[in-house]
Amino acid sequence: QQQQQQQRYLESFDLLQKRHLLPPHPPKMENPEYGDRRNVNPELFCCTLNAIPETQSLLEKSRIPLGIHLHPFKELSEEELPVIYSGIILRCRSCRTYINPFVTLLDQRRWRCNVCFRVNEAPEDIDCDVSGGRFVPRAKRPDLRCAAVEYIAPSEYMMRAPQPTVLFFAFDISSTALQSGYLSVVCQCLKESLDSLPGDSRTLIGFLGFNSSLHFFNLKSKLSQPQTMVVSDVDDLFLPSPEGLLVNLKESRELVDSLLDQLPSLYDKNQAAFDPKSALGPALHSSFKLVSSYGGRITAFQCSLPSCGDGQLKARETSSDLSSKAKDVLYLNAMTDFYKQLALDCSGQQVAVDVFLLSSAYADLATTCCVSKYSSGCVYYYRNLNNATLAKFRTELKRYLTRPIGFEAVLRIRTTRGLSLHTFHGHCFVRSTDLLSLPNTNPDHGFTVQLVIEDSLKDVSNVCFQSALLYTTSRGERRIRIYTLVLPVTNKLRDLYGSANQHAVVALLSKMAVDRSLSSSVGAAREGFLSALLDVLAAYRRIHPGAQQSQRLIVPTSLSLLALRIHSLLQHRAFRLSGGIPVDERIFSMMLLKCLPVSDLLRYIYPSLYALHELSDEHCVPTKGGNAYSLPRLHLSAEQVSRTGAYLVDNGQALSVWIGKDVSSDFCLDVLDRPNFASLPELMTEFPELDTSQSKAIRDFVRQLQTRKSAFSPSLLIFREDSRFKSTFTQYLVDDRTDSSSSYYELLTN
Amino acid sequence: ENLIKFLEMWLEAGICIAVAILDIGLIFFMVWSIICFDELKTDFRNPVDLCNSLNPLVLPEYVIHVILCILLAVGHYWLTFLLNVPLLLYHAYRYSSRPRMSVHGLYDPTQVMNLSEMKKNQMEGWTKLIAYLVCFFFYLFNVLYVFLSAES
């Protein structure tokens, strides 16, 4: 079956002839199969090459980058991830690999590790159920049957007793922040989610407000009202009260409720003195001091450039940088390492810092995002809180507050001897050559590792990768989540092309390009994309018989969409050179590229275009949770978009709906509640609730896109063909030529 | 006149000895740096500790090397001085292209674990160690030469 797969992949075709490559539905990645021993789900763990070359020189001949993508804390159901509650955890004696479905079971009492090939003793109860009870043949044990397994860890795996969940919130209450009105939205969402916050009865919670001084809130349960304590000297920090600033949520519940009710009006923009300064650095520092003995999570809401205290920043970007056709992008790197140092201190104490930036002015995200990058936190960025983004903010905040998270986590990746881990991508701190320190793991982060083949793999027939995530759940249970991926080794160049996983390759290339943009320049990253694509295609031409002489552009089927996606990346907001993209937005796009898991990343790179006017019952697919719609995707090109229809573009961050001029008036009436195209407003932010089947179908489809299990819920914008917002839609039609870039077809011919 | 000659000879000897001793100091710095990176690779030290122990030693090493070069120039050893100039330029380049940090040093804990960066640092450590060792034997030979020629 392996042969069959590779034969199929080795087919190649001429890219210039085939115009419509995009499969109608997002393709599923595949990991190689080994008979009845199933490899791990590729969405959890996948590799850019499904067959590993024997030597580094063979890999370099193919010019395909080698890396693995990992989604360690994805939310999985019980069938996908069996949890083993008791029993001994079997590990190899020498390399400490966990037992997995790919070990060789020798006779009754011994097993051979598949990473270091050492023979280990099996304990007596290997044939019993994991709880040591009934007789279960060893092949049926969950840890020998499933490649993704979770163990409950015994006390040897704990550095200290599991700590309670600690959540701390720091609010920006400077006058710019109060003008935006975010505080009332946040307090309302928090109040509604207090019961579903991660944690149990030991959860601790605390709040802090900062403008040019720090406002601490004493929430000790004995008090009747929350008490505010103001520290105005931010250069000489001290905590005003030894306790009461971080309290048990259950005991002080009424005080927390009343604080969340009062907070927006306490700092009403008319009443408070005009205080535009923001002391983000001292606020983070004091939050860290409060939380450091337990570890936990700090959530900081920021609305302006930090302008006083430690970590104050200057406005580097001016409006002239935005408008001119800049040769290159400036100010992508951090200005000071205060935030990076703070992140490292936090990481040492198992504290993660998440940042919500709600600012339309320049707030130097390049520097402040370092505090999340290295403490495994996440960053959310909203340019302004208008109607469209308000719903997005609410949904994303709710998911952020209620999603399951893990604390005090470390992630170790073990590979067969001969492979070594080169660079890590993702929000983490690399503590050792194969160990990542993650003070917080959340289900929406993905990590990528670039690999290097240091020794030849000639005498190895299968290479094994195992990732072990050791974490504490919010209920104080220590668990280990193991994913195992096994790939064959090959010494033929053709097999490498046949088994390349183009989705993983594009994801890896985009992360490498972000690194290159930060270390040298965006222009260098763009050249890197082009040279990567050209190298791969040129290397393939060299081995394909008959391709050298012809003018055709031969690509293997397994890499068919590579050029399309790379062309789209060149137009992406993160790497575009023209168009006056604000630096903060660019930094945020780059961060998304770095930390999204692979499937979300692919949608972000190459958005999905759907023909909304064609949505009908035949696209309805019954699933477990109700009806799901699956519309075919179209190429992102104007030739797919016709004036008589309505189209929707989804890139994970925003849904842009475009209504064509000649759209039928039935459609307008049924879906948009207007008699014809001319009466449509320029911009709408939601579909009106009408009783027609088409309206219902469209609203269900949109809701389905907005409630995916991902950190980001796209905002919805509907506009007419001739509105001034139409560039928001046409910017996504990346296959076409624009003023500053060539079309996809032109790229291929060059 | 004899006194001047005497002082000159002692000055020369002094410079030679000082140069040799400074070079021993540089060798120790390099050995310590190599040991630290090796411990990092084999997981006995974490990157934050590594940077905290190596960063304070970077500027002193450069300063010592500058003093060494000045002494060589003062003692009119032009050939050796010219041989040390590339290293001086390399130090200047390395320091100017360091990542943006508030402490004085070259190593950033978040980047030092990259395999390429680690290999570069190790290679630099070994090369400089060998260079300093070779120079040390040269300076030692010079010291002996000065003393022997003084005696004769």
Coordinates of all heavy atoms in Angstrom, one line a residue, chain A residues 334-337 340 344 374 420-423 429-433 454, chain B residues 41 43 46-48 100-102 108-110 113-116 118-119:
Chain A
A334 N 12.4 44.5 18.3 CA 12.1 45.1 19.6 C 13.0 46.3 19.9 O 14.2 46.3 19.5 CB 12.3 44.1 20.7
M335 N 12.5 47.3 20.5 CA 13.4 48.5 20.8 C 14.2 48.3 22.1 O 15.3 48.8 22.2 CB 12.5 49.7 21.0 CG 13.2 51.0 20.8 SD 12.0 52.3 20.8 CE 11.9 52.7 22.5
T336 N 13.6 47.6 23.0 CA 14.3 47.4 24.3 C 14.0 45.9 24.7 O 13.0 45.3 24.3 CB 13.8 48.3 25.4 OG1 13.9 47.6 26.6 CG2 12.4 48.8 25.2
D337 N 14.9 45.4 25.5 CA 14.6 44.0 25.9 C 14.0 43.9 27.3 O 14.0 42.8 27.9 CB 15.9 43.1 25.8 CG 16.9 43.5 26.9 OD1 16.8 44.6 27.4 OD2 17.8 42.7 27.2
K340 N 11.3 41.3 27.0 CA 11.8 39.9 26.8 C 12.4 39.4 28.2 O 12.2 38.3 28.5 CB 13.0 40.0 25.8 CG 13.4 38.6 25.3 CD 14.6 38.6 24.6 CE 14.5 39.2 23.2 NZ 15.6 39.0 22.4
L344 N 11.2 36.2 30.3 CA 12.1 35.1 30.8 C 11.9 34.9 32.3 O 11.9 33.8 32.8 CB 13.5 35.4 30.5 CG 13.8 35.3 29.0 CD1 15.3 35.7 28.7 CD2 13.5 33.9 28.4
Y374 N 7.8 34.8 24.6 CA 8.7 33.8 25.3 C 8.2 33.3 26.6 O 8.8 32.4 27.2 CB 10.1 34.5 25.6 CG 10.7 35.0 24.3 CD1 10.8 36.4 24.0 CD2 11.2 34.1 23.4 CE1 11.3 36.8 22.8 CE2 11.7 34.6 22.2 CZ 11.8 35.9 21.9 OH 12.3 36.3 20.8
S420 N 18.5 15.8 14.4 CA 18.5 16.7 15.6 C 17.7 17.9 15.3 O 17.4 18.3 14.1 CB 20.0 17.1 15.9 OG 20.6 17.7 14.9
L421 N 17.2 18.5 16.3 CA 16.3 19.6 16.2 C 17.0 20.9 16.1 O 17.9 21.3 16.9 CB 15.4 19.7 17.5 CG 14.8 18.3 17.9 CD1 14.2 18.4 19.2 CD2 13.8 17.9 16.9
H422 N 16.7 21.6 15.0 CA 17.5 22.8 14.7 C 16.9 24.1 15.2 O 17.6 24.8 16.0 CB 17.5 22.8 13.2 CG 18.4 23.9 12.6 ND1 18.1 25.2 12.5 CD2 19.7 23.8 12.1 CE1 19.0 25.9 12.0 NE2 20.0 25.1 11.7
T423 N 15.7 24.4 14.9 CA 15.1 25.7 15.3 C 13.7 25.4 15.7 O 13.0 24.6 15.1 CB 15.1 26.7 14.2 OG1 16.2 26.6 13.4 CG2 14.9 28.1 14.7
F429 N 9.7 29.0 25.3 CA 11.1 29.3 25.6 C 11.9 28.0 25.5 O 11.5 27.0 26.2 CB 11.2 29.9 27.0 CG 12.7 30.1 27.4 CD1 13.5 30.9 26.6 CD2 13.2 29.6 28.6 CE1 14.8 31.0 27.0 CE2 14.5 29.8 29.0 CZ 15.3 30.5 28.2
V430 N 13.0 28.0 24.8 CA 13.7 26.7 24.5 C 14.7 26.5 25.7 O 15.7 27.2 25.8 CB 14.5 26.8 23.2 CG1 15.1 25.5 22.9 CG2 13.5 27.1 22.1
R431 N 14.4 25.6 26.5 CA 15.2 25.5 27.7 C 16.4 24.6 27.5 O 17.4 24.6 28.2 CB 14.4 24.9 28.9 CG 13.9 25.9 29.8 CD 14.5 25.7 31.2 NE 14.1 24.5 31.7 CZ 13.0 24.3 32.4 NH1 12.2 25.3 32.6 NH2 12.6 23.1 32.8
S432 N 16.3 23.7 26.5 CA 17.4 22.7 26.3 C 17.3 22.3 24.8 O 16.3 22.8 24.2 CB 17.3 21.6 27.3 OG 17.8 20.4 26.7
T433 N 18.1 21.5 24.3 CA 18.1 21.2 22.9 C 16.8 20.6 22.4 O 16.4 20.7 21.3 CB 19.2 20.3 22.5 OG1 19.3 19.2 23.4 CG2 20.5 21.0 22.3
E454 N 21.9 14.7 11.1 CA 23.3 14.9 11.4 C 24.1 13.6 11.0 O 25.2 13.7 10.5 CB 23.5 15.2 12.9 CG 23.2 16.6 13.2 CD 23.7 17.1 14.5 OE1 23.8 16.2 15.4 OE2 24.1 18.2 14.6
Chain B
K41 N 24.9 22.2 25.7 CA 24.5 21.3 24.7 C 24.1 20.0 25.3 O 23.2 19.3 24.9 CB 25.7 21.0 23.7 CG 25.2 20.3 22.5 CD 26.0 20.7 21.3 CE 25.4 20.2 20.0 NZ 26.2 20.1 18.9
D43 N 22.8 19.7 28.2 CA 21.7 19.8 29.1 C 22.0 20.0 30.6 O 21.2 19.7 31.5 CB 20.7 18.6 29.0 CG 19.3 19.1 29.2 OD1 19.1 20.3 29.5 OD2 18.4 18.2 29.2
N46 N 21.1 25.8 31.8 CA 20.0 26.3 30.9 C 20.5 27.7 30.3 O 21.4 28.3 30.8 CB 18.7 26.4 31.7 CG 18.7 27.5 32.7 OD1 19.1 28.6 32.5 ND2 18.3 27.1 33.9
P47 N 19.8 28.1 29.2 CA 20.3 29.2 28.5 C 20.4 30.5 29.3 O 21.3 31.3 29.1 CB 19.3 29.4 27.4 CG 18.6 28.1 27.3 CD 18.6 27.5 28.6
V48 N 19.4 30.7 30.3 CA 19.5 31.9 31.1 C 20.7 32.0 31.9 O 21.4 33.0 32.0 CB 18.2 32.0 31.9 CG1 18.2 33.2 32.8 CG2 17.0 32.0 31.1
R100 N 19.7 43.3 20.4 CA 19.5 44.5 21.3 C 19.2 44.0 22.7 O 18.3 43.3 22.9 CB 18.2 45.2 20.7 CG 18.0 46.5 21.4 CD 16.7 47.1 20.8 NE 17.0 47.7 19.5 CZ 17.5 48.9 19.4 NH1 17.9 49.7 20.4 NH2 17.7 49.4 18.2
M101 N 20.1 44.4 23.6 CA 19.9 44.0 25.0 C 20.4 45.0 25.9 O 21.2 45.9 25.5 CB 20.6 42.6 25.2 CG 22.0 42.6 24.7 SD 22.7 41.0 24.5 CE 22.0 40.0 25.8
S102 N 19.9 45.0 27.1 CA 20.2 46.0 28.1 C 21.5 45.8 28.8 O 22.2 46.7 29.2 CB 19.1 46.2 29.1 OG 18.7 45.0 29.6
D108 N 22.0 36.1 23.8 CA 20.6 36.3 24.1 C 20.0 34.9 24.4 O 20.0 34.0 23.6 CB 20.0 36.9 22.8 CG 18.5 37.2 23.0 OD1 18.0 37.0 24.2 OD2 17.8 37.5 22.1
P109 N 19.4 34.8 25.6 CA 19.0 33.4 26.0 C 17.9 32.8 25.0 O 17.8 31.6 24.9 CB 18.3 33.6 27.4 CG 18.5 35.0 27.7 CD 19.2 35.7 26.7
T110 N 17.2 33.7 24.3 CA 16.2 33.1 23.5 C 16.7 32.6 22.1 O 16.1 31.8 21.4 CB 15.1 34.1 23.2 OG1 15.6 35.2 22.7 CG2 14.3 34.4 24.4
M113 N 20.0 28.9 21.8 CA 19.7 27.5 21.7 C 19.5 27.1 20.2 O 19.4 25.9 20.0 CB 18.4 27.1 22.5 CG 18.6 27.0 23.9 SD 19.9 26.0 24.5 CE 19.3 24.4 24.0
N114 N 19.4 28.0 19.3 CA 19.3 27.6 17.9 C 20.6 26.8 17.5 O 21.7 27.2 17.8 CB 19.3 28.9 17.0 CG 17.9 29.3 16.8 OD1 17.0 28.7 17.2 ND2 17.8 30.5 16.2
L115 N 20.4 25.7 16.8 CA 21.5 24.9 16.5 C 22.6 25.6 15.7 O 23.8 25.5 16.0 CB 21.0 23.7 15.7 CG 21.9 22.4 16.0 CD1 21.8 22.0 17.4 CD2 21.4 21.3 15.0
S116 N 22.2 26.5 14.8 CA 23.2 27.1 14.0 C 23.9 28.2 14.8 O 25.1 28.3 14.7 CB 22.5 27.8 12.8 OG 21.4 28.6 13.2
M118 N 24.4 28.0 18.0 CA 25.2 27.3 19.0 C 26.5 26.8 18.3 O 27.6 26.9 18.9 CB 24.4 26.1 19.6 CG 24.9 25.7 20.9 SD 23.7 24.9 21.9 CE 23.0 23.7 20.9
K119 N 26.3 26.3 17.1 CA 27.5 25.8 16.4 C 28.5 27.0 16.1 O 29.7 26.8 16.2 CB 27.1 25.2 15.1 CG 26.5 23.8 15.2 CD 26.7 23.0 14.0 CE 26.4 21.5 14.3 NZ 25.3 21.0 13.5

